[in-house]
Amino acid sequence: MENIAWKVWQKGKICWWVAMIFVTVGSMVQGFDRLIKSIDLIAEITGLDFYVQTGCSNYKPLNCKYSKYVAYNESENLIRNCQLLICHAGIGTLILAKKYSKKTVIVPRFAKFKEHFNDHQSEICKIIESENRPNIAVVWDINNLAGTVSMMLSQSHLLSTPIDINSGKNNIVNEIKKLLNTL
């Protein structure tokens, strides 16, 4: 039986230079309809090929392949094989993005939209932005998502080779500890 990542990778290429864009919202009990609706609209307008892990969101994409949840190993395969990763500011996802040197667009969940219990994802994004990494973009305003996706896809020079996951994990863990100590 073929795994999901392989099926998406094989069937998901829309042209010779753009492959599947993986969108993941994690496993929070709150939905992330704001992100999924925006992705669905971008897919409708552009024809780009998105595979969306929707989690507990109520909105079901009309223009994207999707599933509610993806097993960890499948998620890792999708991240490894995607051309662009769009995600919430979940640490596990960000560690995998760094491990596979993926161009990443991060959309933090906000408490004001009932997407999370608090705004710790904003704090994580502020730390990430302070590192000025050219292959990572944070989208604070969902209206800027389409432009950011376009910009990231057009910058093929941002692709690089995978890195040692342990060095990145330790840095992220240290930053999270610092953040927790300030709260």
Side-chain angles (χ1 to χ4, degrees), residues 4 11 15 28 32 55 82 113 115 133 141 148-149 156 159 163 167 176:
I4 293 170
K11 295 178 183 177
C15 67
M28 287 295 306
F32 203 177
C82 71
F113 297 128
E115 298 165 343
R133 294 175 185 228
D141 179 345
T148 303
V149 167
S156 61
L159 297 177
I163 60 164
S167 64
I176 291 170

Side-chain angles (χ1 to χ4, degrees), residues 149-166:
V149 167
S150 176
M151 176 201 59
M152 294 296 277
L153 288 173
S154 69
Q155 297 177 344
S156 61
H157 66 280
L158 295 180
L159 297 177
S160 58
T161 56
I163 60 164
D164 176 13
I165 185 68
N166 293 321

Side-chain angles (χ1 to χ4, degrees), residues 73 75-82 99-100 102:
N73 64 333
S75 181
E76 185 171 7
N77 284 334
L78 287 162
I79 291 170
R80 180 186 306 116
N81 292 314
C82 71
K99 176 180 180 180
Y100 295 111
K102 287 299 166 179

Side-chain angles (χ1 to χ4, degrees), residues 50-181:
F50 293 89
Y51 186 83
V52 183
Q53 179 265 316
T54 62
C56 289
S57 303
N58 292 316
Y59 184 82
K60 304 298 181 222
L62 303 172
N63 304 291
C64 309
K65 298 176 199 87
Y66 72 93
S67 59
K68 191 167 182 146
Y69 292 104
V70 179
Y72 178 83
N73 64 333
E74 293 295 335
S75 181
E76 185 171 7
N77 284 334
L78 287 162
I79 291 170
R80 180 186 306 116
N81 292 314
C82 71
Q83 177 166 356
L84 177 66
L85 173 63
I86 302 172
C87 62
H88 66 132
I91 296 301
T93 303
L94 297 176
I95 288 171
L96 287 175
K98 186 168 184 173
K99 176 180 180 180
Y100 295 111
S101 299
K102 287 299 166 179
K103 290 190 287 187
T104 305
V105 175
I106 305 168
V107 182
R109 291 171 172 265
F110 293 123
K112 71 181 180 183
F113 297 128
K114 299 187 181 349
E115 298 165 343
H116 214 303
F117 300 111
N118 59 36
D119 285 325
H120 76 277
Q121 289 198 356
S122 294
E123 297 302 319
I124 292 167
C125 287
K126 288 175 188 172
I127 292 167
I128 291 169
E129 275 190 326
S130 72
E131 296 176 350
N132 290 321
R133 294 175 185 228
N135 63 333
I136 299 176
V138 176
V139 172
W140 296 100
D141 179 345
I142 202 72
N143 295 316
N144 297 329
L145 182 60
T148 303
V149 167
S150 176
M151 176 201 59
M152 294 296 277
L153 288 173
S154 69
Q155 297 177 344
S156 61
H157 66 280
L158 295 180
L159 297 177
S160 58
T161 56
I163 60 164
D164 176 13
I165 185 68
N166 293 321
S167 64
K169 190 186 310 181
N170 291 336
N171 290 340
I172 291 172
V173 168
N174 289 335
E175 291 298 326
I176 291 170
K177 285 180 183 176
K178 283 188 225 175
L179 175 65
L180 292 174
N181 288 332

Side-chain angles (χ1 to χ4, degrees), residues 23-34:
V23 181
T24 180
V25 302
S27 58
M28 287 295 306
V29 296
Q30 295 94 340
F32 203 177
D33 289 333
R34 183 172 58 100

